[in-house]
């Protein structure tokens, strides 16, 4: 038997997104910089994924995201072991698997990159859930560092004047906190530049996602899950602007050359909730086998979904509303309107909802949203029960059967 490697499949090679290599290069450099921060004298802040990162960038603090780390743990299939370790430490299995995996990693420098760099401070914004409050308190005690809590009231139907004043005041307190830890004043001009770059990066990210309005779509939601990392991590930097400018150009070229994410795209689907990180490839291949492409999702679009509230000329003043009205901090009726708008925009034939055991704010309203979608658009909806990191909550045969049945429904409607 020959030991020579198989020649690359030209069809698969053609569909590969070339920008992936640049993304890996940027993220490798980012983590090396964060891990060597003590030697370079830079500060490191752990921050929640929905937290206002721009003031950190303006203060030259390196932002580190335990949730991104959680995604890497999930993709590396290390989630179950780390979640079990957290449970042996006394944390209930019902808690978020990002939190359990992160708490379990901290004492042993565990995970795929040997643990996260030690923080000098923690910044916790509760616009994504309430679990992060206790999670970050645990980590602040573990590392013996200060914690800033950025409290955003839940926006059931509106963002009141009282809420605006309350959150705006915290923006000033947040800056005072950073100036205290860093022992330096914020450069106002630098903050203005970071705000401009943040907004430009968000516009570009939205433009990248919108290329999937084209039929066939040049990329899928599974690709978006990967390319999301920079808009989360380094929002407000020129690096993000440059990267998404190049990625957008690549997507336009793929459209011109009719290179699609899924060969013979026949069905266009919308994904709701976080990815099932340890099964993204399996799910991607499963849907592709049915000639179905997940053309959009509510998760990756969250990092550009509140641009309409931001004003480049008054970034600090307007970020109070933008950070309060993100997808997970609004009422179910508004979430349903957002999903329906995406169904229309991307011409989706169906919706796949991940009922995520870990993420209660994302999952609790899904049955109501499903009813609203079916009433307003008569679009089939599939619910998959799983967990974003903990593989113990994924039943492959059950999910496999449900997807087959769902696709049969779609086929009968064509």
């Amino acid at each position: 038997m020959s030991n020579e490697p198989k020649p690359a499949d030209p069809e698969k090679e053609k569909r590969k997104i070339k920008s992936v290599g640049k993304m890996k290069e940027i993220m490798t450099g980012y983590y090396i910089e964060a891990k060597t921060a003590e030697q370079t004298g830079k500060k490191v802040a752990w921050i929640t994924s929905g937290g206002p990162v721009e003031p950190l960038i303006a203060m030259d603090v390196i932002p580190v995201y335990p949730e991104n780390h959680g995604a890497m743990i999930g993709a590396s299939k290390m989630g179950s072991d780390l979640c079990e370790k957290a449970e042996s430490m006394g944390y209930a299995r019902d808690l978020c698997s990002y939190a359990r995996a992160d708490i379990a990693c901290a004492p042993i420098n565990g995970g795929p990159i040997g643990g996260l760099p030690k923080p000098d401070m923690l910044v916790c914004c509760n616009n994504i859930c309430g679990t992060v409050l206790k999670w970050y308190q645990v980590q602040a005690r573990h590392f013996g560092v200060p914690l800033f809590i950025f409290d955003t009231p839940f926006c059931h139907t509106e963002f009141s004047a009282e809420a605006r004043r309350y959150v705006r005041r915290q923006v000033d307190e947040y800056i005072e906190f950073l100036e205290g830890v860093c022992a330096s004043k914020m450069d106002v001009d630098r903050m203005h530049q970071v705000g401009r770059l943040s907004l430009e990066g968000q516009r570009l990210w939205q433009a990248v996602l919108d290329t999937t309005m084209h039929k066939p779509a040049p990329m899928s939601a599974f690709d978006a899950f990967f390319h999301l990392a920079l808009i989360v991590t380094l929002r407000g930097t020129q690096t993000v602007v440059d990267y998404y400018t190049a990625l957008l150009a690549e997507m336009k070229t793929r459209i011109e050359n009719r290179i699609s994410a899924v060969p013979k795209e026949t069905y266009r689907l919308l994904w709701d909730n976080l990815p099932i990180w340890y099964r993204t490839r399996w799910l991607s291949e499963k849907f592709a086998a049915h000639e179905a492409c997940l053309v959009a999702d509510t998760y990756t679009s969250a990092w550009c979904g509140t641009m309409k509230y931001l004003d480049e000329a008054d970034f600090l003043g307007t970020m109070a509303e933008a950070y309060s009205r993100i997808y997970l901090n609004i009422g179910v009726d508004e979430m349903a309107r957002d999903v329906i708008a995406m169904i229309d925009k991307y011409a989706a034939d169906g919706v796949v909802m991940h009922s995520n055991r870990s993420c209660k704010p994302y999952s609790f309203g899904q049955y109501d949203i499903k009813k609203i979608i079916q009433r307003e658009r008569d679009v089939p909806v599939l619910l998959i029960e799983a967990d974003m990191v903990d593989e113990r909550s994924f039943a492959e045969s059950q999910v496999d059967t449900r997807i087959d049945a769902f696709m049969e429904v779609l086929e009968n409607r064509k």
Side-chain angles (χ1 to χ4, degrees):
M1 184 181 290
S2 171
N3 290 324
E4 291 183 9
K6 288 183 180 178
D9 181 340
E11 186 62 25
K12 285 186 177 178
E13 289 299 308
K14 183 180 77 174
R15 294 184 195 285
K16 284 183 178 177
I17 296 176
K18 307 298 182 291
S19 297
V20 165
K22 184 65 178 175
M23 166 68 85
K24 289 179 178 175
E25 178 189 320
I26 293 171
M27 292 306 292
T28 300
Y30 156 74
Y31 275 113
I32 289 173
E33 184 185 22
K35 288 215 167 200
T36 56
E38 274 188 306
Q39 291 96 304
T40 60
K42 281 198 167 186
K43 301 285 186 188
V44 171
W46 286 14
I47 182 170
T48 48
S49 64
V53 67
E54 292 84 357
L56 292 176
I57 300 291
M59 294 291 290
D60 208 22
V61 175
I62 302 173
V64 170
Y65 292 81
E67 287 152 271
N68 276 13
H69 189 218
M72 286 193 286
I73 289 168
S76 303
K77 301 183 179 178
M78 302 173 77
S80 296
D81 287 345
L82 288 165
C83 286
E84 283 179 356
K85 175 170 173 54
E87 289 155 26
S88 72
M89 294 164 70
Y91 294 95
R93 184 173 172 177
D94 288 332
L95 290 172
C96 164
S97 52
Y98 275 173
R100 280 179 288 149
D102 181 57
I103 289 169
C105 273
I108 57 171
N109 284 330
I113 59 169
L116 289 177
K118 182 181 178 301
D120 297 288
M121 69 192 96
L122 273 69
V123 178
C124 173
C125 182
N126 62 347
N127 57 0
I128 49 172
C129 70
T131 301
V132 291
L133 294 172
K134 290 299 173 190
W135 171 6
Y136 275 56
Q137 285 173 350
V138 167
Q139 297 298 50
R141 283 197 297 271
H142 175 77
F143 289 104
V145 297
L147 165 66
F148 184 84
I149 294 175
F150 195 94
D151 180 32
T152 51
F154 192 84
C155 303
H156 290 280
T157 57
E158 61 176 359
F159 189 60
S160 67
E162 292 80 9
R164 187 185 306 277
R165 283 195 295 274
Y166 173 65
V167 181
R168 178 64 186 86
R169 174 62 189 146
Q170 289 178 77
V171 173
D172 294 334
E173 292 171 354
Y174 178 28
I175 292 169
E176 290 168 13
F177 168 82
L178 294 179
E179 290 176 338
V181 176
C182 298
S184 63
K185 298 293 286 184
M186 174 177 280
D187 183 330
V188 176
D189 292 337
R190 169 75 175 138
M191 183 63 234
H192 179 75
Q193 180 191 32
V194 169
R196 180 183 61 76
L197 290 171
S198 173
L199 203 47
E200 191 176 351
Q202 291 177 61
R203 288 187 187 116
L204 284 163
W205 177 234
Q206 182 70 72
V208 169
L209 297 179
D210 284 351
T211 60
T212 62
M213 291 166 66
H214 185 271
K215 297 180 182 178
M219 61 181 276
S220 72
F222 296 106
D223 298 313
F225 295 152
F226 176 81
H227 294 281
L228 170 72
L230 284 187
I231 195 66
V232 177
T233 309
L234 294 172
R235 194 168 61 253
T237 66
Q238 187 64 45
T239 302
V240 169
V241 171
D242 293 344
Y243 180 76
Y244 288 126
T245 298
L247 182 59
L248 179 59
E250 184 177 355
M251 290 303 117
K252 289 179 176 176
T253 301
R254 286 168 70 92
I255 288 172
E256 287 171 7
N257 296 330
R258 295 195 63 77
I259 299 173
S260 59
V262 172
K264 300 177 184 176
E265 175 192 297
T266 305
Y267 304 99
R268 297 168 60 84
L269 305 176
L270 176 72
W271 176 271
D272 181 54
N273 214 311
L274 280 77
I276 304 169
W277 289 111
Y278 47 88
R279 285 303 180 118
T280 52
R281 174 173 290 186
W282 183 84
L283 285 164
S284 174
E285 293 174 351
K286 178 69 185 174
F287 282 110
H290 284 286
E291 299 180 347
C293 180
L294 271 65
V295 294
D297 68 281
T298 58
Y299 178 61
T300 60
S301 59
W303 277 271
C304 51
T306 60
M307 280 188 296
K308 58 189 173 187
Y309 304 119
L310 286 169
D311 179 356
E312 185 178 310
D314 181 23
F315 191 86
L316 287 178
T318 53
M319 70 184 235
E321 183 167 7
Y323 276 103
S324 297
R325 302 188 73 165
I326 72 163
Y327 187 73
L328 290 185
N329 208 42
I330 57 177
V332 166
D333 288 338
E334 190 174 350
M335 292 172 91
R337 284 197 294 274
D338 286 353
V339 174
I340 288 171
M342 294 182 75
I343 290 170
D344 294 343
K345 181 177 184 179
Y346 297 100
D349 301 302
V351 178
V352 181
M353 290 183 161
H354 169 205
S355 180
N356 186 350
R357 182 184 175 92
S358 272
C359 194
K360 278 74 173 178
Y362 224 141
S363 306
F364 273 163
Q366 283 178 317
Y367 281 95
D368 290 324
I369 294 171
K370 177 183 177 183
K371 287 178 185 173
I372 295 170
I373 291 170
Q374 291 177 326
R375 186 186 66 218
E376 299 292 328
R377 290 296 182 273
D378 188 29
V379 166
V381 179
L382 167 67
L383 258 104
I384 296 173
E385 293 163 358
D387 185 279
M388 56 206 183
V389 165
D390 192 342
E391 296 169 65
R392 294 172 295 175
S393 297
F394 186 82
E396 180 177 315
S397 59
Q398 184 185 78
V399 174
D400 189 65
T401 303
R402 286 188 182 181
I403 291 175
D404 287 341
F406 177 67
M407 294 309 306
E408 193 173 324
V409 169
L410 289 178
E411 287 166 18
N412 290 334
R413 291 166 68 101
K414 278 286 185 182

